[in-house]
Amino acid sequence: MSERVIAPLNRGFLFLDSHPAGCRKVVADMWQAVPARKSDRDGPVALVIGSSAGYGLAATIAGLARAGIRGIGVCFEKAPGRRTGTAGWYRTAATADLAREHGRDMVFLNGDAFSDAMKDEVADLLKQRYGQLDYLIYSVAAPRRTDPDTGVTYSSVLKPIGEPYRTKTLNFDASGTPEVTEVETAPAAGDDIEQSTAVMGGTDWERWIGHLSERDLLADGFTTAALSYIGSPLTAGIYRQGTIGAAKVHLEATARTLNERLEKLVGGRALTSVNGAAVTQSSTAIPGIALYVGLLRSVLGPDLVPPIDQLTDLWDQLTGTRPLTLDDDGRVRLDTWELTPPVQKAVADRWNSATTSTIGDLADVDWFHAEVQRLYGFAVPGIDYTAPVDTSVPWPDPAA
């Protein structure tokens, strides 16, 4: 056992350690936020790729608590060692414990979701333990991907397309005081767009479906959803109109291709789910997003819909608890609360007035700062951060 007091040491929005007890409480709180499931029967077999953080974590917990899924979660996390484990490591352990307590048979695999070795491991486990797959949720945000066929490694970048992008952004100094500054990002060059699309587009999602189909592991009516984001016009220059946006366009095009294929193959479907804004480990790396989300929270207050509520809604639509509602491009829209004209105008007005001296009155900076800390298990109500905590939490045992 390795016990110690863990303090929140960070460089900007990146924390060097995670708090196991805080991460466990975050997961428990998310589970409690999901409306109780009405059926005691075994739920559908599901695979969540990217199950340990952000929307993928919410999809996993909502699927377990609401839809009663059983199956597999795949993620890529670092074990405890000289430093603590990653927050996703501790969140996965907590999710596995809750799943077991509620009688859900959920196995978590830690490794490279882009590799064929992981696809083989998942397929073998499905064949041995669960049978055919009813649902696949794809929620992968990664800096790089190695193509299993060619061995070429691609790297994604956050860049605008065509011209430099200058935007306001929110930071916190060493004492936690908020600062509004301006940053400029150089435009994509060379093969930046192609590289980013190879990582964050639909290529790997399509490869997963093909791999499982070849093993005859897609059930009749199989449904797959890739989680995506469009966002506000205020951040479009670096997001939807940038390299990551190009990758998301590719993801949506892949959904249409997969939908046609699955409909013929198993009477199934493929779609993208456009989620609303949230504080995640991925989103905090995007220039301007921190400021935007802080302002959005100030405008909406408790009406800002957290990821766990969004993904509960998605599972209800996927499983038929309520009708599946698609936009004209065949996407589930879980972001409509964010993008209404009155909300966007209110946020834009505050954005235009935001400076270091005014930000405390315009944005919910205390909420945002705490949300960033909670990504790593800090600032969680009910946790005694002066007490030593065991950091040597093991990875969930598939046999447990």
Side-chain angles (χ1 to χ4, degrees):
M1 181 177 290
S2 177
E3 287 194 350
R4 62 185 178 92
V5 174
I6 305 171
L9 302 175
N10 62 296
R11 296 171 183 159
F13 295 140
L14 177 64
F15 282 64
L16 305 182
D17 285 313
S18 303
H19 198 284
C23 291
R24 178 170 292 274
K25 182 67 162 48
V26 166
V27 168
D29 289 347
M30 291 175 69
W31 191 294
Q32 287 297 316
V34 179
R37 183 169 177 256
K38 296 180 180 179
S39 174
D40 292 328
R41 295 180 302 172
D42 282 344
V45 178
L47 168 63
V48 182
I49 304 171
S51 60
S52 62
Y55 297 124
L57 174 68
T60 304
I61 295 172
L64 287 164
R66 179 67 171 171
I69 63 170
R70 52 203 173 95
I72 304 168
V74 175
C75 54
F76 193 33
E77 299 295 344
K78 186 177 180 181
R82 186 178 65 86
R83 306 209 74 94
T84 69
T86 53
W89 180 281
Y90 297 128
R91 288 190 296 255
T92 299
T95 305
D97 286 345
L98 277 173
R100 186 170 57 253
E101 290 171 16
H102 288 82
R104 311 283 195 262
D105 181 9
M106 195 76 181
V107 173
F108 292 93
L109 302 177
N110 190 28
D112 181 6
F114 294 130
S115 70
D116 281 352
M118 178 56 74
K119 293 174 176 64
D120 285 334
E121 187 174 357
V122 167
D124 290 344
L125 183 57
L126 284 170
K127 186 80 81 174
Q128 296 162 9
R129 188 161 177 160
Y130 300 105
Q132 290 184 315
L133 191 65
D134 297 301
Y135 297 98
L136 187 155
I137 305 295
Y138 189 82
S139 179
V140 177
R144 62 191 60 85
R145 166 180 172 263
T146 298
D147 187 307
D149 289 331
T150 65
V152 174
T153 297
Y154 299 95
S155 297
S156 62
V157 294
L158 277 166
K159 291 185 178 181
I161 295 174
E163 59 185 25
Y165 177 72
R166 190 167 184 83
T167 185
K168 292 181 178 180
T169 194
L170 175 65
N171 295 300
F172 293 85
D173 66 17
S175 65
T177 301
E179 300 176 327
V180 176
T181 59
E182 287 198 355
V183 294
E184 183 172 298
T185 306
D191 62 351
D192 283 343
I193 298 172
E194 291 77 11
Q195 291 262 340
S196 300
T197 299
V199 179
M200 298 292 289
T203 302
D204 183 64
W205 182 29
E206 187 170 19
R207 193 178 186 92
W208 269 101
I209 301 302
H211 204 90
L212 296 170
S213 175
E214 290 172 4
R215 297 285 295 270
D216 193 28
L217 287 169
L218 304 183
D220 289 342
F222 167 78
T223 296
T224 183
L227 307 187
S228 187
Y229 181 67
I230 291 177
S232 168
L234 291 167
T235 58
I238 194 66
Y239 197 87
R240 192 64 182 187
Q241 296 167 8
T243 52
I244 297 301
K248 296 301 184 182
V249 169
H250 184 272
L251 188 75
E252 292 168 10
T254 302
R256 293 189 288 271
T257 300
L258 285 175
N259 192 63
E260 293 179 5
R261 184 189 309 173
L262 290 171
E263 188 174 16
K264 295 175 183 177
L265 186 66
V266 291
R269 64 191 174 197
L271 45 85
T272 50
S273 173
V274 182
N275 299 83
V279 181
T280 68
Q281 284 158 289
S282 298
S283 70
T284 55
I286 304 172
I289 291 291
L291 176 60
Y292 170 74
V293 177
L295 295 170
L296 181 67
R297 164 70 184 191
S298 187
V299 168
L300 288 173
D303 290 333
L304 189 149
V305 183
I308 191 64
D309 290 356
Q310 295 180 42
L311 272 298
T312 297
D313 185 357
L314 178 62
W315 276 113
D316 279 355
Q317 292 193 50
L318 295 180
T319 59
T321 298
R322 72 182 193 85
L324 180 66
T325 304
L326 305 178
D327 68 8
D328 292 341
D329 293 313
R331 303 172 297 197
V332 178
R333 297 302 296 266
L334 303 178
D335 61 345
T336 53
W337 53 272
E338 174 189 350
L339 298 181
T340 64
V343 168
Q344 285 299 304
K345 182 180 185 308
V347 175
D349 289 344
R350 291 171 183 243
W351 177 286
N352 292 332
S353 301
T355 64
T356 297
S357 61
T358 63
I359 191 61
D361 296 324
L362 297 174
D364 197 337
V365 291
D366 291 340
W367 171 85
F368 181 84
H369 195 222
E371 284 295 297
V372 171
Q373 293 180 77
R374 278 192 280 273
L375 294 175
Y376 299 88
F378 298 104
V380 180
I383 299 298
D384 181 3
Y385 291 99
T386 66
V389 63
D390 183 15
T391 64
S392 58
V393 176
W395 190 257
D397 182 357

